[in-house]
Amino acid sequence: MNVPGWQRMPRFSKVLKSVRVAKNYQASERRSVFWEQGSDAGFSTVGMVLALLISLSLIFTCAKVYEVNTVSAQVQETADAASLAAENVVGEFYIVVTICDAVTFTLSLTALVVMGVGVVCACIPPTAALSKGLIDASGKISKARDSFYDSAQKSLETLQKALPFIATVKAQEVMAANSSEGGSSFYGIALLAPWEGTSGDALSFKEANQAQDLAEENQQELIDQAARAEEAAQKANEWKEYAYRHDSGSQSDYCMYERAAHLAGMSGSDNPYFSSVDTWNFQAALSRAKVYYAIRLEKEYPQSSSVDEQSNSALRKRFYAYAVEEVAKGYVHETQDSFDVLFPLLPKNTDEMRLTSLYTDTVYSKTQNEQGLFTLHAWSGCPGCDNQTNAGTGAIRDMDRNAAYTTCPYCKFTPSSMGKVAAASSNIENGFEYHYNEVARAADEYEKARAELDPVSQEIKNTANELFDAFFEGLSEACTKRIEILPPGHWGAIALVVDTSAPASHFPSLFVASDGTGELGMRAALSSATLVRESSEEGKNVLTSFLDGLDSQNASVGAAKTVLEIWSGMLEAYAQGSDALQSVIKTVLNGIPLGSASGLGTWASDEFERRVKDFGFAPPDLQARKAVLVNSVHVLEADTSTFSARLLSTKNAVIQYGEGGLNGAASAAESLASGVVEGLSTDFELATIVLVEGVVEIPITIALPSFVTEGLAGAFQSGIDQLYSVVSSWTGARQWR
C-alpha cells in the first residue's frame, strides 16, 4: 500500500534532534517532492522548509501557551487566596463559638463551685458571713449565665447567617488587594459549603438550678447548727485542753507524765510525752495510769523496819492493787462522730474509801483477845497478831458496824488508816492521783460536751453531704451542656474569581491565530479551601487573657474577690480539664480560714475536695483551625446541599464544555443570597458577662470587616454581577438566570 511521503514524516522531536543524510539509504524508486534521489538521497529542499516551518510553529505555540498559562496563574492564585480568606472567617467563627461555650460552661462551673465553697463556709461561724455572700453570688452567677447564653445564642445565630456574606467580603478584599498590586481586575465571590449552618438543642440547667435552690433553702439552718456545734466544741476542747495539761502539760512541772517519771521511774513508750494537745488524747492518760499503778504495786516495799512503815507499806500495796484492778476497767472509745469514756475514780479520803471495795474486801488479818474482842491488823506480820487467837480475816467495814472491835496497839489500823493512803497524793499537786483524778473529771465533762456536739455535727454533715450530692449532679450536667454549632462553611469554601483585564500579548506571532487585537482575553478560576486543626495555643491564649485588666476594678475583697478568683480558675480548667479544677478549688479553700473548734470547716473542705477529685472531665479540643487548599471536589461532595450539587455539576460542565458552564455557577450562587443580613456593625457585640453587677462586667465584641457597614448583601451581589458580565462577554448575550 502506497503511503504519501508526508505521512511517513518522523515525529517533530526527532527532526529537532538532527537532520542528517543516511549514507547507505536505499532510495525509493518513486519520485517525491520531499526526498532527493541518488546515492546521497535525503530531505529535499521542500521537505527541509516544511520541517523548519512546523518546528517554528510548535516552538511559538508552546511559548504562547506558556504566556497564557503564566497570565492565567495569576487569577488562580488570587482565587486560592480568596478561598483561604473566606474559610479563615469560618475558622475565626469557631473561636467565637469556643469563647461563648467557654463562658457558658465556666459560669456554670463557677456558680456551682461558689455554691460549694459557700456550703463549706456555712459549717463554721467565723465564715458564716462569707457563706451568705458566696451563695447569694452563686445565684446571681447562674442568672448571669442564663442571660449570657440567651444573648450569645441569638447573636451567634445572627452572625452565622451573616457568615457567608462576611466570607465574601473578606474574599473581595483579597481580590481588590491583588488587583491594585498586579494591574489586574479580579472580581468574584466566595461561597461557603454548606451555605447554612446548624445549631444544637437549647441548653437548660435543671440540676444546677435545683442545687442552687437547695443551698439557699438550707443555708440559714446550716449556719444556726454550726453556731450550736461551735459552742459545744469549744466547751469540749476546753476540757480536753485541761486534761492534757494535767497529763502531759510539762516535762518538768507536776503532771501525770512528770510524776510517773519521778515516782515510778517510767520512761520511753511507757511514759510518752506529748508536746501538743492536737497529738494527745484521753487514751494516752489512761494507758499511762495503768502502767503507773502496775509498776508501783510491783515496786512497793517498806522503807524501814518500823511497825508504822511496814503497816503503811502494806496499806499502800493494798491501795495499788485496788488501783490496778479499777483502772484496768477504764476505756476510751473515740471516733470522729462519738466519744465514750470511763475513767475510774480513786478515793481521796475515808468517806470515798467506804464506797469502794477497799472497805468491803475481807482481806485483813483478824484476831480475838481474852475478853472476846476482835482486832483487825494492817498486815499479817503485825506484832499485835502474836499471842492472839487467829479469827480469820475481816473487812474494814466490820470495825464501823461492830462495837466488839478494838484497835491494835502496834499497827493502829482503823478505817481512816486506809482513807489516808491516797489522801495526800490526791489533794496536792505533787501527787500522781491528784492529776489522774483531774483528767478523769475532765474526761467526764468532755464526754458531756461531745454528747451535745456530736448529734449537731452529724446533722451538719448530713445537710452538707446532701448539698454536695446536688453539686455533683449539677457538675455532671454542666459537662454535657455545651454550645454545639456547625457553621456555614464547615465543609469548606468555594471561590469563583475572574480577571476582567485583557493584557496585550508580549509574544505576538504569525504562527498563532488571534482576533487581531493582540489581547489575551479575560480569565476565570475556581478554588476551594477547608479547615484543618493545627497545634496552636491560640484558643487557650484567648481564654486565659479574658480577665486581663480586671485587677484594676473594685473586686479585691470579700465574695467578689473569691468569685473572680474561681472564675479565672474555671477558665483554666476549661482548657486543662479536671486536674486544674481540683487545683483551683484547693487554692481557694486554702485561702479561707476554716479552722474552728468543731473542725467542721476542715471536714467540709476535705469532703468537698474529695468529691471534686472523684469527678473528672476532659478539656475540649482547643486547637486552632487553619484554612488549607483542597480540590473543590472534596468540598462539594461532602456538602449535600443543592448548591454544592449544582456547582459540582457546573464544574464538570466547564471541564467538558468550556466557559459557558460558568453561567450556571453564578446563577447557583445568586439563588443562595435570597436574604439580606441587617443590624450588623463593625463592632458586633455578642453578649455581656455580668459576673458581679457593677463590679465585673465584660462585653464580648467582634470586629467585623470594614465593608460590613456598606452592606454585606450588596458586596455579595456585586460579585455576582461581575460574574454575569464575564459570562455575557463570552457568550455574546445575557443568559437567562
Side-chain angles (χ1 to χ4, degrees), residues 184-246:
S184 300
S185 299
F186 296 113
Y187 298 97
I189 56 171
L191 305 167
L192 299 182
W195 180 265
E196 296 180 351
T198 58
S199 301
D201 296 333
L203 304 185
S204 62
F205 302 92
K206 180 181 177 181
E207 299 293 341
N209 291 335
Q210 288 180 349
Q212 175 63 39
D213 294 340
L214 192 63
E216 292 177 352
E217 292 172 4
N218 290 274
Q219 179 189 37
Q220 190 57 51
E221 181 181 359
L222 200 58
I223 291 175
D224 294 340
Q225 290 174 338
R228 296 198 303 271
E230 188 69 13
E231 183 179 356
Q234 287 176 353
K235 291 181 181 178
N237 288 350
E238 288 172 1
W239 283 113
K240 185 175 182 180
E241 177 69 30
Y242 181 81
Y244 162 75
R245 291 199 304 270
H246 281 279

Side-chain angles (χ1 to χ4, degrees), residues 113 117 562 565-566 569-570 572 579-594 605 609:
V113 171
V117 175
T562 303
E565 182 179 358
I566 291 175
M570 292 305 103
E572 293 184 8
D579 289 343
L581 175 64
Q582 297 169 22
S583 177
V584 170
I585 292 176
K586 187 176 186 67
T587 300
V588 171
L589 291 176
N590 287 342
I592 300 174
L594 295 173
S605 175
E609 287 189 50

